[in-house]
């Protein structure tokens, strides 16, 4: 299997990186450009930048700002934030993004996944999935960037990721909301259930709190990559430490 990826995530709101717990109570974590450069230097395999308020506010990301950040990075960059049209997605790619991640707009119009894959290629299309356990099943949420707009949809998580794969998504980032910001480990049960249904890469998101959590999720759910935010932002664990633990657990990582 290809080397496992350690991915740094920057949730941006109002021009600043923020982090909460279970998608609520956001606190300031720093400047996004400075953090992106720091993670580049630490050896991140990929950097993800989410403008978490864009969909709820009916806008998309700032292309000029994206270009400035992309210009100084030499690792893959994925961006998300209110990308609702092919024109917006292509503009992100033209301004330096390597991938675009879509979430709420894909839930509103699932055929957007196919349209984007046909134009940009599936390798550029990432589906972000915000999932929470409700009454014994995993359900999809949208507009999760603001506590005032977040809402549950009628879709079930496992059904939605299968549909997205069939529609042309090249990668799934499964954000396990009940684990977000808790730092008590990834939701291995949910991720393992998703992995069984997918042939495309699956990225774990939500719950990283210690270096050991990275090899644990690779072993328990066979994910392609593990994404983390707050433990990197607040220097609880470095990307280097996450990679050392992953390698010690028997998994290949890029040096």
């Amino acid at each position: 299997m290809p080397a496992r990826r350690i991915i740094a995530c920057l949730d941006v709101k109002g021009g600043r990186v923020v982090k909460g717990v279970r998608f609520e109570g956001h606190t300031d974590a720093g400047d996004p450009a400075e953090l992106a450069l720091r993670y580049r230097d630490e050896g991140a395999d990929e950097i993800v930048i989410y403008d978490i308020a864009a969909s709820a506010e009916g806008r998309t990301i700032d292309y000029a700002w994206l270009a400035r950040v992309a210009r100084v990075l030499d690792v893959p960059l994925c961006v998300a934030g209110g990308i609702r049209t092919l024109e917006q997605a292509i503009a992100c790619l033209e301004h330096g993004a390597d991938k675009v991640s879509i979430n709420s707009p894909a839930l509103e119009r699932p055929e957007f996944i196919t349209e984007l894959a046909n134009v940009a290629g599936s390798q550029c299309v990432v589906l972000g999935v915000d999932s929470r356990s409700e009454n014994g099943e995993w359900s999809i949420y949208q507009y999760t960037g603001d506590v005032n707009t977040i809402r549950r949809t009628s879709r079930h998580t496992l059904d939605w990721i299968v549909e997205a794969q069939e529609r042309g998504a090249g990668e799934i980032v499964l954000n396990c909301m009940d684990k977000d910001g808790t730092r008590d480990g990834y939701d291995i049960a949910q991720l393992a259930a998703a992995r069984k249904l997918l042939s495309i890469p699956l990225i774990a998101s939500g719950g990283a709190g210690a270096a050991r959590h990275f090899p644990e999720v690779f072993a328990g759910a066979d994910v392609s990559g593990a994404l983390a935010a707050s433990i990197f932002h607040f220097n609880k664990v470095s990307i280097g430490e996450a990679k050392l633990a992953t390698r010690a657990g028997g998994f290949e990582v890029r040096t």
Side-chain angles (χ1 to χ4, degrees):
M1 186 173 183
R4 309 299 173 120
R5 285 179 278 156
I6 305 298
I7 301 169
C9 177
L10 286 70
D11 292 334
V12 177
K13 188 174 185 179
R16 299 287 292 177
V17 176
V18 297
K19 196 70 190 85
V21 177
R22 297 188 178 96
F23 286 52
E24 298 181 9
H26 292 129
T27 58
D28 187 275
D31 177 77
E34 291 177 1
L35 285 174
L37 289 173
R38 180 179 125 198
Y39 299 144
R40 175 203 67 182
D41 294 342
E42 287 185 5
D45 295 305
E46 186 171 326
I47 293 172
V48 178
I49 299 178
Y50 292 150
D51 186 332
I52 62 173
S55 280
E57 295 174 358
R59 59 174 176 79
T60 191
I61 62 178
D62 183 329
Y63 303 130
W65 179 87
L66 168 60
R68 288 195 298 272
V69 173
R71 193 174 299 120
V72 297
L73 294 179
D74 54 4
V75 296
L77 173 63
C78 177
V79 297
I83 301 169
R84 297 179 176 277
T85 68
L86 290 176
E87 291 76 16
Q88 291 171 338
I90 296 304
C92 289
L93 297 172
E94 289 177 340
H95 284 82
D98 298 284
K99 304 176 186 177
V100 293
S101 180
I102 54 178
N103 188 332
S104 294
L107 287 164
E108 295 165 4
R109 200 170 68 83
E111 56 269 27
F112 182 37
I113 300 170
T114 306
E115 294 168 0
L116 183 52
N118 287 341
V119 171
S122 290
Q123 76 280 358
C124 294
V125 182
V126 178
L127 183 76
V129 177
D130 295 330
S131 175
R132 172 173 283 166
S133 179
E134 293 281 353
N135 301 318
E137 61 186 12
W138 295 303
S139 298
I140 297 292
Y141 280 71
Q142 65 182 146
Y143 303 127
T144 56
D146 192 311
V147 68
N148 296 312
T149 59
I150 184 173
R151 64 184 179 88
R152 182 185 178 184
T153 75
S154 61
R155 290 185 175 274
H156 300 306
T157 302
L158 299 183
D159 293 338
W160 175 229
I161 63 173
V162 170
E163 179 181 345
Q165 177 177 254
E166 293 171 348
R167 288 182 175 275
E171 185 169 278
I172 303 288
V173 176
L174 182 51
N175 305 309
C176 301
M177 296 175 66
D178 294 318
K179 288 285 192 174
D180 179 74
T182 63
R183 299 184 187 172
D184 60 0
Y186 292 96
D187 188 340
I188 291 177
Q190 184 173 181
L191 290 159
R195 177 70 279 167
K196 291 178 181 178
L197 300 174
L198 298 172
S199 59
I200 59 177
L202 174 66
I203 307 301
S205 175
R212 62 180 173 82
H213 291 152
F214 293 88
E216 284 177 359
V217 74
F218 292 131
D222 195 30
V223 293
S224 300
L227 178 152
S230 63
I231 62 166
F232 296 151
H233 300 339
F234 301 116
N235 297 304
K236 302 298 182 182
V237 175
S238 71
I239 290 170
E241 289 169 338
K243 287 195 167 188
L244 284 173
T246 300
R247 187 179 296 111
F251 299 96
E252 181 183 353
V253 291
R254 298 180 183 89
T255 57

